[in-house]
Amino acid sequence: MKIFIVGLGLMGASYAQKLTSVGHDVFGFDKDHNTNLKALNEGVIKGYNLKDMKDCELVILALYPNQIFEFIKSNLSYFDTQLITDISGTKTKLLDEVLELLPKSINYVSHHPMAGREKSGYDHKDVTMFKNANFLIIDSHHAKPHHIETIKKLGLDLGFKRQIVLSAYEHDELIAHTSQLTHLIAVSLMLMNKNEHTKDATGDSFRDLTRIANINEILWTELFLDNKNALIQKIDEFVDVLGELKHDILASNEVILKEKLKESKKRRISFDETNTR
Amino acid sequence: MKIFIVGLGLMGASYAQKLTSVGHDVFGFDKDHNTNLKALNEGVIKGYNLKDMKDCELVILALYPNQIFEFIKSNLSYFDTQLITDISGTKTKLLDEVLELLPKSINYVSHHPMAGREKSGYDHKDVTMFKNANFLIIDSHHAKPHHIETIKKLGLDLGFKRQIVLSAYEHDELIAHTSQLTHLIAVSLMLMNKNEHTKDATGDSFRDLTRIANINEILWTELFLDNKNALIQKIDEFVDVLGELKHDILASNEVILKEKLKESKKRRISFDETNTR
């Protein structure tokens, strides 16, 4: 398949490298010209001319969420029969804008690769990060069944394990919990710290819970704001549950505490059984 | 050195195995007699008679916090010139009780090995878990300098990297943040979940932040309740910081959000520079 990838940062470059390695004809473009030259020299892409988008079957927009709309708007003349997709971490706001902009004849199926790294940019590309990760595909009124199949195939080619199809709304609600709330928690754990000895009193739990506090502030500010409604609701739900645990501790509700921890253990073990990597 | 370890669960058995392997004469006792026999047969201990505590230089109480006081009280006649230590995860409440009970002539230096596993019991013993972890030693009016040195040496023999000496109060305040709060967060993330598709929409962040939600409910209920005051304060501080982030998101304070995420990134990178394992 002839594929064009717009944006050759961490994600776009990793997509390009992996898709090239499994035999696709991959073209790409980055706003940084040196990145284009490097990707071409390393054999990660076959060319970096935006015009090549015209006869590609698939165009992958590996841009920050806020750049996607602008890119499509500025390059509308290149789009015709291709299938367009994007990798944005939030979907409702983006698809509302993009699907409003696009003519009905243009094929668009959004997806979200549930994988990442703390470091960004072309030089940190790493095809192993997709292995056995989850791959979410967004169903919308623009998404035809055979195009959803194409995106499923893309996920398989990249090495993702499970392909789930869901609505933009359901996606954003789930992601608010599993991804955005978890990042806000990690950030809060780092920001609340006033004791210089904290680093000496840490075990694996603190290390694990704050790994993602090493965060890309530009991307995540966008993601938090784009998914504001779902995220605020998840913060409130989380603070409620934590507040109830605090109440149980204050009141020395030993029996209730043990029951809650047992339930947590049960859920986490069940999660691991279906979600090992 | 002749060492006696009381309790041959995950921690006690791992201590016994490691200390035997570096040449100490290790004796031990578990309330489960089959565990004693197994440990003896496997060469992890040289004997399991409590009377052997009498002529050991070091007695390590590898028991749940609430069992430590009872054990000392019931076995006071065995203690004389030995140095006694324990591995409890909270210190203020325990030491208040234990040091009140013990005659001034008895030597006691508490410590906290910042390492663990999700699974408990003798059969899950694993000497690798101590490698490069942090080791906290509690200074108190019972702790003589040369005894603190003995406990430092114990930490080195076990494979821990950094030995920090601090007061019981400072220990409990730090641990409330880095260990107990993080476990409550992981538990809350599992308990708040009502959507059966959550497991399909997870990346590494959710997996990392909920690993410790697979929690030993008996031990951690004790730890939460024993360290109630410090823990409640840390929950409140954390919820305040998260609440401010929520406010920034609600108000679309893009500039402030980016600044906070940058500060979080800076702190986490600095943490990693001093705390890699």
Side-chain angles (χ1 to χ4, degrees):
Chain A
M1 186 158 55
K2 192 168 173 185
I3 300 174
F4 201 100
I5 300 174
V6 181
L8 297 172
L10 171 74
M11 296 301 287
S14 302
Y15 267 53
Q17 189 170 30
K18 180 70 184 180
L19 294 173
T20 292
S21 78
V22 298
H24 291 292
D25 291 324
V26 180
F27 295 75
F29 173 82
D30 196 274
K31 62 178 194 265
D32 173 22
H33 188 55
N34 287 330
T35 299
N36 291 327
L37 294 177
K38 203 188 275 187
L40 190 69
N41 283 336
E42 292 182 359
V44 168
I45 55 170
K46 293 194 167 174
Y48 51 80
N49 194 325
L50 273 181
K51 283 180 191 157
D52 283 322
M53 282 199 296
K54 276 199 159 178
D55 61 340
C56 280
E57 286 169 69
L58 179 66
V59 176
I60 302 169
L61 305 175
L63 299 167
Y64 282 15
N66 293 358
Q67 300 167 329
I68 293 173
F69 180 81
E70 286 307 319
F71 180 86
I72 295 175
K73 203 172 162 186
S74 313
N75 295 279
L76 216 46
S77 63
Y78 290 120
F79 298 128
D80 179 15
T81 60
Q82 312 98 320
L83 172 59
I84 309 173
T85 189
D86 71 85
I87 65 160
S88 167
T90 63
K91 298 301 187 187
T92 315
K93 181 167 170 279
L94 174 75
L95 290 182
D96 279 354
E97 293 171 357
V98 166
L99 300 185
E100 172 80 21
L101 173 74
L102 285 175
K104 280 248 160 62
S105 59
I106 303 287
N107 305 302
Y108 200 101
V109 177
S110 193
H111 78 279
H112 181 185
M114 295 289 296
R117 288 282 181 267
E118 275 63 59
K119 303 205 166 155
S120 56
Y122 176 89
D123 291 333
H124 293 105
K125 66 184 179 300
D126 175 5
V127 298
T128 65
M129 75 172 139
F130 307 132
K131 196 170 154 56
N132 291 338
N134 290 322
F135 191 82
L136 308 179
I137 301 167
I138 309 303
D139 202 1
S140 75
H141 61 275
H142 262 247
K144 293 174 192 136
H146 70 283
H147 288 139
I148 289 182
E149 289 309 310
T150 303
I151 300 298
K152 278 190 182 172
K153 178 75 174 42
L154 171 72
L156 285 177
D157 284 348
L158 287 166
F160 287 88
K161 189 159 148 190
R162 287 186 307 172
Q163 333 275 320
I164 318 294
V165 180
L166 70 183
S167 72
Y169 178 82
E170 191 180 11
H171 169 275
D172 283 3
E173 207 198 0
L174 285 167
I175 290 306
H177 177 200
T178 64
S179 176
Q180 292 165 350
L181 174 60
T182 51
H183 279 76
L184 283 177
I185 287 170
V187 167
S188 299
L189 281 170
M190 290 315 292
L191 291 183
M192 72 184 272
N193 181 38
K194 290 166 205 142
N195 191 322
E196 58 171 324
H197 291 300
T198 300
K199 65 181 185 314
D200 305 322
T202 57
D204 289 334
S205 57
F206 189 79
R207 201 172 292 109
D208 281 358
L209 266 81
T210 59
R211 183 183 60 81
I212 52 174
N214 180 354
I215 194 168
N216 174 334
E217 72 275 10
I218 299 166
L219 174 61
W220 284 90
T221 296
E222 274 188 33
L223 292 171
F224 293 150
L225 295 181
D226 281 358
N227 202 19
K228 187 186 288 191
N229 293 341
L231 179 53
I232 296 295
Q233 193 188 317
K234 289 299 165 187
I235 295 172
D236 289 345
E237 283 175 32
F238 170 76
V239 170
D240 280 351
V241 173
L242 181 61
E244 284 164 23
L245 285 166
K246 174 188 156 183
H247 172 80
D248 295 332
I249 292 167
L250 260 176
S252 298
N253 285 338
E254 206 176 318
V255 176
I256 294 176
L257 271 172
K258 275 185 197 160
E259 268 169 30
K260 287 186 176 178
L261 301 191
K262 263 178 94 165
E263 175 65 19
S264 164
K265 176 164 70 175
K266 197 179 101 188
R267 290 188 186 195
R268 189 55 179 73
I269 289 171
S270 149
F271 172 81
D272 250 352
E273 281 163 0
T274 54
N275 220 299
T276 45
R277 282 193 70 179
Chain B
M1 185 157 57
K2 194 168 172 185
I3 299 174
F4 200 100
I5 299 174
V6 181
L8 298 172
L10 171 75
M11 296 300 287
S14 303
Y15 267 54
Q17 189 170 30
K18 179 71 184 179
L19 295 172
T20 291
S21 77
V22 299
H24 292 292
D25 290 324
V26 179
F27 295 76
F29 173 80
D30 196 274
K31 62 176 194 266
D32 173 22
H33 188 55
N34 287 331
T35 298
N36 292 327
L37 294 177
K38 204 188 276 187
L40 189 69
N41 284 335
E42 293 182 0
V44 169
I45 55 171
K46 292 193 166 174
Y48 51 81
N49 194 325
L50 273 181
K51 283 178 190 157
D52 283 321
M53 282 199 298
K54 276 198 158 178
D55 61 342
C56 281
E57 287 170 69
L58 179 65
V59 176
I60 301 169
L61 305 175
L63 299 167
Y64 281 15
N66 293 359
Q67 300 168 329
I68 293 173
F69 180 81
E70 286 306 318
F71 181 86
I72 295 174
K73 202 172 164 186
S74 312
N75 295 279
L76 216 45
S77 63
Y78 290 120
F79 298 128
D80 180 15
T81 61
Q82 313 98 319
L83 172 59
I84 310 173
T85 188
D86 71 84
I87 65 161
S88 168
T90 64
K91 299 300 186 188
T92 315
K93 181 168 173 278
L94 174 76
L95 291 183
D96 279 354
E97 293 171 356
V98 167
L99 300 185
E100 172 79 22
L101 173 75
L102 285 175
K104 278 250 160 61
S105 59
I106 303 288
N107 305 302
Y108 200 101
V109 176
S110 194
H111 78 279
H112 181 185
M114 295 289 295
R117 288 281 182 269
E118 273 65 58
K119 302 204 168 158
S120 56
Y122 177 89
D123 290 333
H124 294 106
K125 65 184 180 299
D126 175 5
V127 299
T128 65
M129 76 174 138
F130 307 132
K131 196 170 155 56
N132 292 338
N134 291 322
F135 192 82
L136 309 179
I137 300 167
I138 308 303
D139 202 2
S140 74
H141 61 274
H142 261 247
K144 293 173 192 138
H146 70 284
H147 287 140
I148 289 181
E149 289 309 310
T150 303
I151 300 298
K152 277 191 183 172
K153 178 74 173 45
L154 171 71
L156 284 177
D157 284 348
L158 288 167
F160 286 88
K161 190 158 148 191
R162 288 187 305 173
Q163 332 277 320
I164 318 292
V165 180
L166 70 182
S167 72
Y169 178 82
E170 192 181 10
H171 169 274
D172 283 2
E173 207 197 1
L174 285 167
I175 290 306
H177 177 198
T178 64
S179 176
Q180 291 164 352
L181 174 60
T182 50
H183 279 76
L184 283 177
I185 286 169
V187 167
S188 299
L189 281 171
M190 289 316 291
L191 291 184
M192 73 184 272
N193 181 37
K194 290 167 204 140
N195 191 322
E196 58 171 325
H197 293 299
T198 300
K199 64 181 186 314
D200 305 322
T202 57
D204 289 335
S205 57
F206 189 79
R207 201 172 290 111
D208 280 358
L209 265 81
T210 59
R211 183 182 60 83
I212 52 175
N214 181 355
I215 194 168
N216 175 333
E217 73 275 10
I218 299 166
L219 174 61
W220 284 90
T221 296
E222 275 188 32
L223 293 171
F224 293 149
L225 294 180
D226 281 359
N227 202 20
K228 188 186 289 189
N229 293 341
L231 179 54
I232 296 296
Q233 193 187 317
K234 290 300 164 187
I235 296 172
D236 288 345
E237 284 175 33
F238 169 77
V239 169
D240 280 351
V241 173
L242 182 60
E244 284 164 21
L245 285 167
K246 174 188 156 182
H247 171 80
D248 295 331
I249 292 166
L250 260 175
S252 297
N253 285 337
E254 206 175 319
V255 176
I256 295 176
L257 270 173
K258 275 185 197 160
E259 269 170 28
K260 287 186 176 179
L261 301 192
K262 261 178 95 164
E263 174 65 20
S264 164
K265 177 164 69 175
K266 198 179 100 187
R267 291 187 185 195
R268 189 55 179 73
I269 289 171
S270 149
F271 172 82
D272 249 352
E273 280 163 2
T274 54
N275 219 298
T276 45
R277 282 195 70 181

